[in-house]
């Protein structure tokens, strides 16, 4: 998947920085399970475009990176 491509494309010691919607926020799209991955559509009003997105738990976001050999050196949650 995407995370494996990151791992293959980066030089040794390279870094990946990601920004991802917090799973609690994406539950507003009508899914009752925090743990299960769900695809949903969201409209990006600033470009008038509807896109598909995937709800994942925090573990569901981070675990693929750890399984691909990445090391988590920082983690922050910003609430606004």
């Amino acid at each position: 998947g995407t995370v494996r491509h990151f791992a293959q494309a980066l030089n040794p010691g390279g870094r990946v920085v990601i920004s991802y919607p917090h799973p609690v926020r994406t539950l507003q799209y009508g899914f009752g399970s925090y743990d299960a991955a769900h695809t949903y559509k969201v409209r990006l009003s600033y470009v008038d475009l509807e896109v598909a997105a995937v709800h994942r738990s925090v573990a569901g976001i981070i675990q693929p990176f750890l399984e691909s050999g990445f090391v988590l050196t920082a983690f922050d949650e910003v609430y606004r």
Side-chain angles (χ1 to χ4, degrees), residues 14-63:
R15 296 179 182 203
V16 173
V17 177
I18 64 168
S19 175
Y20 202 91
H22 194 285
V24 170
R25 287 184 176 251
T26 61
L27 282 176
Q28 71 182 319
Y29 294 99
F31 305 114
S33 174
Y34 173 83
D35 295 324
H38 299 284
T39 301
Y40 62 95
K41 292 186 179 185
V42 64
R43 179 161 292 284
L44 304 176
S45 59
Y46 58 93
V47 290
D48 193 31
L49 178 67
E50 188 174 81
V51 298
V54 179
H55 162 86
R56 290 186 173 89
S57 66
V58 172
I61 297 166
I62 294 172
Q63 195 60 35

